[in-house]
């Protein structure tokens, strides 16, 4: 039988299931738990692509895979198994090679999950590295639209250390998973080499302190030997190096020595490398010479998947109702760390109080955390200050009636960001920007909306300003 005989039936089965969920008011559940993309088929088997092994296991345990299988059998009268692959590969020319696929089948009468741990997809490190957290692996990271590229690039760097993804720079706000991905790379390489490899994970602050102490103790030779003979160097939070000229010089020479021997280097930062003031140009150039990737806050579906993953890892599937998970996922939008903190608070409450969790309890116990995490805490003053500082203007300039291009464009950008991040009407925004008429505010907002459709540079600038605004309030 030729391939793709089942494709039309697959599409019809998915459409029917989506409609069933939609009619029950649960279309978001379908979107979250039916992440399967048809690839090919044979007479007895359909192969689909899924985001990760975790997602496959979750869909199997929730009955999503069986639901599709049953629907296809209903449509065709044929019994087929469903096989999945997780394909962590790129289509860009810069990728050294395709990452091997993981393949597994689901049959309605057998468990598709495998208990076997392996180096290609470790649930936890098989060998513990003293500086790396065991729980930070690729298998425990939940990729979404915000982080899929960073996840795949990190996995590619781990599979091919010292290749084209070298150095790898991952940047973004606090609590988005930069350290998780960085240490996943380290754990993967360490275990693949059965521990017979020199890997160092360190924060930029600790690197600076160690360098300073080495100078004072006159043991710089030992310091240089330690870092310049590594196979993998992982440095967290390189923004800490701003203004520390001697540490930067030493890191530059360390970088050169490691790069010459094709050692893998990974760095994290809270902002794009171009925004790091007080970093030497030559070191800035080295940081950006490989692959630089932005991590954004996760969307609702990804936030919910992250929470479900945490619940599964803690074996707490029965302890927290779905409406509480939804409440946390909808209201904590800023970062993964706060998501997990809210989940832990709820689980601790259930353990200590001996009460079943309800949405009312979640709303009461998390009210302060939810309030602090919401974007509503961003003020117009903060937006105006950040935008004005970026364009070397004063807040008074943004509020003035001056019509020069130097002021008009930043003013329009500030109005657009304020409208997007704050719950203000056009008249309210007019009052905040010097008493302007609401039609002027509307025009400014729509002007930026139109420009964003074609201006990628403007889009990048606004994303950067939004990051600064969200970090400013911290």
């Amino acid at each position: 039988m030729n391939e793709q005989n089942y494709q039309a039936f697959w599409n019809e089965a998915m459409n029917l299931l989506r409609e069933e969920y939609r009619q029950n008011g649960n279309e978001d559940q379908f979107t979250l738990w039916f992440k399967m993309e048809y690839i090919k088929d044979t007479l007895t088997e359909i192969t689909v692509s899924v985001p990760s092994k975790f997602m496959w296991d979750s869909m199997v345990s929730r009955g999503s895979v069986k639901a599709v299988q049953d629907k296809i059998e209903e449509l065709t009268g044929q019994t087929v198994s469903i096989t999945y692959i997780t394909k962590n590969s790129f289509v860009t020319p810069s990728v050294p090679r395709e990452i091997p696929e993981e393949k597994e089948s689901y049959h309605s009468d057998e468990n598709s999950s495998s208990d076997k741990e392996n180096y290609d997809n470790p649930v936890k490190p098989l060998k513990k590295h003293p500086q790396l957290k065991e729980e930070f692996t690729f298998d425990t990271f939940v990729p979404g639209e915000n982080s899929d590229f960073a996840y795949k690039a990190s996995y590619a760097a781990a599979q091919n250390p010292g290749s084209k993804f070298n150095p790898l720079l991952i940047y973004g706000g606090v609590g988005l998973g930069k350290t998780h991905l960085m240490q996943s790379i380290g754990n993967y390489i360490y275990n693949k080499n059965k521990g017979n490899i020199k890997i160092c994970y360190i924060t930029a602050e600790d690197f600076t302190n160690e360098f300073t102490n080495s100078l004072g103790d006159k043991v710089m030779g030992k310091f240089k030997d330690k870092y310049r003979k590594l196979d993998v160097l992982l440095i967290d939070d390189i923004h800490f190096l701003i203004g520390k000229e001697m540490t930067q010089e030493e890191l530059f020479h360390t970088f050169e020595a490691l790069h010459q021997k094709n050692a893998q280097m990974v760095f994290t930062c809270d902002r794009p490398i171009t925004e790091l003031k007080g970093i030497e140009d030559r070191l800035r150039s080295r940081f950006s010479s490989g692959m630089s990737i932005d991590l954004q806050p996760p969307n609702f579906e990804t936030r919910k998947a992250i929470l479900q993953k945490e619940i599964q890892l803690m074996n707490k599937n029965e302890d927290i109702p779905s409406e509480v998970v939804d409440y946390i996922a909808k209201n904590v939008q800023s970062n993964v760390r706060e998501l997990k903190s809210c989940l832990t608070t709820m689980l601790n409450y259930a353990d200590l109080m001996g009460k079943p969790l309800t949405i009312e309890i979640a709303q009461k116990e998390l009210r302060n955390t939810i309030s602090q995490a919401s974007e509503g805490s961003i003020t117009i003053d903060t937006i105006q200050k950040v935008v004005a500082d970026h364009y070397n203007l004063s807040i008074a300039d943004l509020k003035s009636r001056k019509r020069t291009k130097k002021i008009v464009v930043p003013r329009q950008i500030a109005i657009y960001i304020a409208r997007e991040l704050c719950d203000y009407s056009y008249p309210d925004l007019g009052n905040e920007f010097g008493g302007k008429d609401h039609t002027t505010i509307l025009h400014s907002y729509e002007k930026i909306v139109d420009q964003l459709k074609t201006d990628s540079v403007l889009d990048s600038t606004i994303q950067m300003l939004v990051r600064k605004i969200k970090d400013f309030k911290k």
Side-chain angles (χ1 to χ4, degrees):
M1 180 177 284
N2 294 329
E3 293 187 352
Q4 300 186 348
N5 286 306
Y6 286 111
Q7 184 169 17
F9 294 110
W10 173 272
N11 293 338
E12 180 64 14
M14 294 292 277
N15 288 336
L16 290 171
L17 286 167
R18 179 185 289 275
E19 181 60 22
E20 290 176 11
Y21 273 72
R22 188 191 68 76
Q23 289 180 359
N24 292 324
N26 294 321
E27 189 170 8
D28 60 330
Q29 292 291 310
F30 178 88
T31 301
L32 182 62
W33 296 114
F34 286 80
K35 290 184 178 295
M36 294 171 275
E37 180 182 350
Y38 170 91
I39 300 296
K40 62 182 180 180
D41 65 55
T42 64
L43 179 62
T44 59
E45 181 180 272
I46 296 174
T47 302
V48 299
S49 175
V50 299
S52 66
K53 184 180 185 299
F54 160 70
M55 182 58 75
W56 170 261
D57 290 342
S58 297
M59 290 188 293
V60 169
S61 65
R62 295 178 68 91
S64 302
V65 178
K66 187 176 187 303
V68 179
Q69 189 181 40
D70 289 347
K71 190 66 71 174
I72 290 174
E73 183 174 350
E74 179 184 318
L75 293 170
T76 66
Q78 300 292 322
T79 300
V80 295
S81 63
I82 298 179
T83 297
Y84 83 87
I85 59 172
T86 57
K87 194 171 185 179
N88 295 304
S89 60
F90 294 84
V91 294
T92 55
S94 61
V95 178
R97 65 181 176 86
E98 185 171 284
I99 299 172
E101 299 173 349
E102 177 186 81
K103 183 173 180 179
E104 192 171 324
S105 297
Y106 172 77
H107 303 272
S108 59
D109 59 348
E110 65 182 18
N111 187 349
S112 67
S113 297
S114 172
D115 293 327
K116 181 182 178 182
E117 294 176 350
N118 55 68
Y119 295 117
D120 288 330
N121 194 10
V123 174
K124 62 181 180 179
L126 304 182
K127 185 175 180 64
K128 175 75 171 67
H129 186 281
Q131 297 166 335
L132 302 175
K133 292 186 177 181
E134 288 182 284
E135 64 269 24
F136 283 168
T137 68
F138 290 113
D139 192 58
T140 59
F141 188 90
V142 181
E145 290 182 3
N146 65 304
S147 59
D148 194 48
F149 185 44
Y151 174 85
K152 290 180 178 178
S154 298
Y155 195 55
Q159 287 248 316
N160 302 279
S163 188
K164 291 186 177 180
F165 295 91
N166 190 35
L168 178 64
L169 173 67
I170 306 171
Y171 65 90
V174 296
L176 295 181
K178 301 185 299 294
T179 300
H180 189 147
L181 285 175
M182 168 183 273
Q183 292 204 18
S184 295
I185 294 171
N187 273 320
Y188 186 99
I189 297 173
Y190 191 68
N191 280 276
K192 191 172 185 179
N193 290 274
K194 300 182 180 180
N196 299 315
I197 193 167
K198 294 179 181 178
I199 296 178
C200 178
Y201 165 81
I202 192 169
T203 66
E205 180 177 7
D206 287 343
F207 182 86
T208 301
N209 292 337
E210 188 176 339
F211 169 70
T212 303
N213 292 335
S214 297
L215 282 175
D217 296 339
K218 298 181 180 180
V219 290
M220 274 305 298
K222 183 178 179 181
F223 179 90
K224 292 178 180 179
D225 283 344
K226 173 183 175 180
Y227 286 99
R228 298 184 189 185
K229 293 182 179 180
L230 290 171
D231 299 299
V232 180
L233 174 61
L234 314 169
I235 299 186
D236 229 341
D237 298 331
I238 59 171
H239 47 273
F240 182 83
L241 299 174
I242 291 175
K244 298 172 177 62
E245 295 179 0
M246 292 184 67
T247 306
Q248 288 181 38
E249 181 176 359
E250 177 57 31
L251 181 55
F252 171 80
H253 293 299
T254 299
F255 186 106
E256 292 293 278
L258 294 179
H259 190 265
Q260 189 171 15
K261 58 179 286 194
N262 293 321
Q264 179 66 48
M265 290 174 279
V266 186
F267 306 101
T268 71
C269 188
D270 66 352
R271 71 204 79 168
I273 197 68
T274 54
E275 295 177 25
L276 284 182
K277 309 302 180 184
I279 296 289
E280 291 183 11
D281 287 342
R282 61 178 183 172
L283 185 57
R284 189 201 311 273
S285 173
R286 298 305 187 273
F287 284 147
S288 58
S289 62
M291 173 75 74
S292 296
I293 301 176
D294 183 13
L295 268 181
Q296 291 290 326
N299 60 21
F300 170 75
E301 288 79 9
T302 305
R303 295 196 299 272
K304 185 167 182 177
I306 289 169
L307 292 173
Q308 295 283 5
K309 176 84 171 188
E310 284 296 301
I311 293 169
Q312 182 188 48
L313 290 173
M314 293 186 287
N315 294 317
K316 296 288 186 178
N317 292 338
E318 306 300 324
D319 293 353
I320 184 163
S322 59
E323 58 265 27
V324 173
V325 175
D326 286 346
Y327 175 73
I328 297 173
K330 287 177 181 176
N331 288 282
V332 182
Q333 303 178 17
S334 54
N335 66 62
V336 176
R337 194 174 299 156
E338 289 178 356
L339 267 180
K340 294 181 179 179
S341 175
C342 286
L343 179 63
T344 301
T345 298
M346 287 290 90
L347 292 173
N348 288 340
Y349 180 92
D351 288 341
L352 292 172
M353 303 303 291
K355 294 181 179 180
L357 291 176
T358 64
I359 188 65
E360 290 76 20
I361 290 175
Q363 290 170 341
K364 178 182 177 182
E365 297 301 319
L366 298 177
R367 61 184 182 277
N368 291 332
T369 304
I370 294 295
S371 175
Q372 293 170 6
S374 67
E375 289 185 340
S377 58
I378 295 174
T379 66
I380 297 291
D381 289 341
T382 297
I383 293 170
Q384 291 172 337
K385 176 172 177 50
V386 170
V387 174
D389 287 349
H390 178 74
Y391 287 100
N392 295 317
L393 302 172
S394 66
I395 294 178
D397 287 329
L398 295 181
K399 293 184 176 183
S400 72
R401 298 192 176 277
K402 298 176 182 177
R403 301 293 302 166
T404 61
K405 185 176 181 180
K406 177 183 177 181
I407 295 175
V408 168
V409 173
R411 181 189 295 141
Q412 290 174 339
I413 289 173
I415 289 170
Y416 170 83
I417 293 174
R419 177 66 178 170
E420 290 292 306
L421 297 186
C422 302
D423 188 19
Y424 276 70
S425 65
Y426 291 118
D428 289 339
L429 285 176
N431 292 332
E432 295 290 341
F433 282 86
K436 293 177 176 55
D437 185 84
H438 77 278
T439 56
T440 301
I441 299 298
L442 175 61
H443 170 75
S444 297
Y445 175 78
E446 292 182 340
K447 178 78 171 177
I448 299 299
V449 170
D450 288 339
Q451 285 184 253
L452 285 173
K453 295 175 181 176
T454 56
D455 192 339
S456 60
V457 174
L458 176 62
D459 181 54
S460 297
T461 299
I462 289 177
Q463 288 185 32
M464 175 269 294
L465 289 170
V466 168
R467 282 195 301 270
K468 284 188 174 181
I469 290 164
K470 290 181 177 179
D471 289 341
F472 185 90
K473 69 189 179 80
K474 298 181 178 77

